[in-house]
Amino acid sequence: MSTIFEDTMMTPREIVSELDRFIIGQFDAKRAVSIALRNRWRRQQVPSPMREEITPKNILMIGPTGVGKTEIARRLAKLARAPFVKVEATKYTEVGYVGRDVESIIRDLLDTALKMVKDEHVARVQVRAAEAAEEHLLDILIPHPVEEQGRPVAADAPSPKKDSRERMRDKLRLGELDNRQVEIDVPEQHDMPSMQIFSHNPGDESEFNIKDMLGGLLGDKKKTKRVTIAEALVLLQQQEANRLIDNDKIKEEAILRTEHSGIVFIDEIDKITHREGSSGNVSREGVQRDLLPLVEGTTVSTRHGPVSTDHILFIASGAFHLSKPSDLGLNCKAAFQFVCS
């Protein structure tokens, strides 16, 4: 399995040094996340049966607001080129409001991974897409000789049309035709809303697009749009790139990247604590109950396929001014490694 860790072979000391460029102090926190990142790379070097037995050590950062807890996690994800999502623990519990299912954290993480992987695949085919877009545009400006009047033309045969096409290509590449307008076919956008269904049963949350439900009923309709040649090149290159990439392969790779290199940062986790002597909050306790299996390892259903959270790195943070980690009601000593900021 190809992973980003093939290019991430920095030692913890080197990772800390890189984080020092952006975050002042917080050595213990930076050391902990650096070791966690390095251990992920080391996990990929062992045989598959043993690899499954190595799980990440999740981290709980304790410190006041503004000391750099979020920035450490964000920079770590950027350094590792890993899918990263930051969520507020309070987003899942509001007084008088039913918050989102905690499993939506993993769905958001997968969406981030899908965008990352698609951008990488598109970047690999940019040269081919640019060449195809150029040929497509030249076919609009000057029909190709082999298509003239249905008669085949030898590739090496002299032709005024071929000479004109090459001259037009030179002008196109020099930008002399950028302001000229042409008509091209572009996919028709269907502004179908994305809907999310909530249920009182844990794990029943689902998200879908009405266009996906209708499937082929809408079809791949196109409309003619008049644009400048500079704009046409961009639009045609995007169309060609989307045609060249394999969406099924992108989904498969995104799921693997989410499972083996995803990083989830849960902020303000102390806001869902239940302090001793205070009245209980059913919503907070429900979030804690649902969050624990997610951190310890479970499988989340998404519209792109199941995602295992066994090897996702969870970094939680909180000030804990009015509470302490044991107030969470989770088995924090087993689920998290404490780091004070």
Side-chain angles (χ1 to χ4, degrees):
M1 179 185 64
S2 175
T3 71
I4 61 167
F5 296 104
E6 293 174 354
D7 301 325
T8 308
M9 295 183 290
M10 300 173 68
T11 65
R13 189 183 301 274
E14 292 171 335
I15 297 172
V16 170
S17 178
E18 187 67 21
L19 293 175
D20 284 341
R21 297 174 52 200
F22 307 99
I23 299 105
I24 298 174
Q26 311 306 330
F27 176 77
D28 290 339
K30 287 186 286 191
R31 180 177 180 274
V33 298
S34 298
I35 293 174
L37 180 61
R38 176 66 175 185
N39 286 342
R40 284 181 151 204
W41 173 81
R42 296 180 67 177
R43 175 178 172 269
Q44 300 300 318
Q45 314 309 310
V46 301
S48 182
M50 186 182 298
R51 180 186 305 164
E52 299 305 317
E53 300 300 322
I54 303 175
T55 57
K57 188 67 174 178
N58 300 304
I59 298 168
L60 175 60
M61 296 184 185
I62 304 171
T65 301
V67 297
K69 300 187 297 293
T70 304
E71 190 63 16
I72 288 174
R74 195 189 310 277
R75 291 292 177 180
L76 184 74
K78 188 174 182 180
L79 183 62
R81 293 188 291 116
F84 172 80
V85 64
K86 175 184 178 293
V87 298
E88 306 286 340
T90 51
K91 181 179 181 179
Y92 302 90
T93 171
E94 297 282 348
V95 177
Y97 176 77
V98 178
R100 295 182 67 189
D101 182 356
V102 294
E103 290 187 349
S104 63
I105 297 173
I106 305 304
R107 299 187 184 103
D108 292 342
L109 184 66
L110 178 57
D111 288 341
T112 301
L114 282 166
K115 184 179 184 305
M116 289 179 63
V117 175
K118 183 176 181 180
D119 289 345
E120 292 174 5
H121 280 242
V122 168
R124 295 172 194 164
V125 299
Q126 279 302 314
V127 174
R128 292 166 58 195
E131 293 173 351
E134 183 181 86
E135 293 298 330
H136 190 160
L137 192 54
L138 287 173
D139 287 341
I140 297 174
L141 297 171
I142 301 179
H144 201 276
V146 297
E147 299 174 349
E148 286 184 342
Q149 300 177 0
R151 296 193 303 270
V153 178
D156 57 349
S159 167
K161 283 285 187 181
K162 289 176 64 176
D163 294 339
S164 299
R165 187 179 178 91
E166 292 307 314
R167 286 197 296 270
M168 189 67 74
R169 189 192 305 275
D170 293 337
K171 290 183 178 180
L172 184 62
R173 292 178 176 178
L174 291 172
E176 296 177 5
L177 306 176
D178 283 355
N179 296 325
R180 181 172 170 177
Q181 291 195 334
V182 293
E183 291 185 348
I184 62 172
D185 292 333
V186 296
E188 189 171 354
Q189 297 292 331
H190 300 281
D191 296 328
M192 293 295 181
S194 176
M195 299 179 63
Q196 197 169 47
I197 298 177
F198 295 94
S199 169
H200 292 292
N201 298 323
D204 279 357
E205 178 187 346
S206 60
E207 185 175 346
F208 59 89
N209 192 293
I210 294 180
K211 184 178 178 182
D212 296 335
M213 293 178 60
L214 296 178
L217 294 178
L218 293 175
D220 294 329
K221 294 183 178 180
K222 292 187 177 183
K223 64 178 181 180
T224 302
K225 185 176 183 181
R226 190 169 185 83
V227 295
T228 64
I229 285 182
E231 294 172 332
L233 275 173
V234 174
L235 292 173
L236 290 173
Q237 187 169 341
Q238 290 175 350
Q239 292 180 32
E240 293 295 336
N242 289 329
R243 183 180 61 83
L244 290 170
I245 61 178
D246 186 339
N247 288 319
D248 289 336
K249 187 175 180 180
I250 288 174
K251 289 180 182 179
E252 181 182 350
E253 187 176 334
I255 290 175
L256 286 174
R257 186 171 297 192
T258 300
E259 292 179 335
H260 296 281
S261 64
I263 299 176
V264 174
F265 184 82
I266 306 174
D267 199 10
E268 295 185 343
I269 197 170
D270 56 319
K271 300 295 178 62
I272 62 171
T273 58
H274 170 53
R275 295 183 294 276
E276 294 183 8
S278 63
S279 58
N281 186 305
V282 176
S283 180
R284 291 180 178 181
E285 293 173 357
V287 173
Q288 296 176 33
R289 182 184 62 250
D290 295 340
L291 186 61
L292 183 57
L294 200 69
V295 174
E296 290 187 332
T298 187
T299 300
V300 176
S301 298
T302 74
R303 57 181 173 177
H304 303 294
V307 177
S308 170
T309 68
D310 291 347
H311 303 291
I312 293 176
L313 176 62
F314 288 87
I315 302 176
S317 76
F320 290 96
H321 291 310
L322 303 175
S323 59
K324 51 184 180 294
S326 60
D327 293 334
L328 281 170
L330 305 176
N331 187 11
C332 290
K333 291 184 179 179
F336 289 101
Q337 170 189 356
F338 299 153
V339 177
C340 294
S341 299

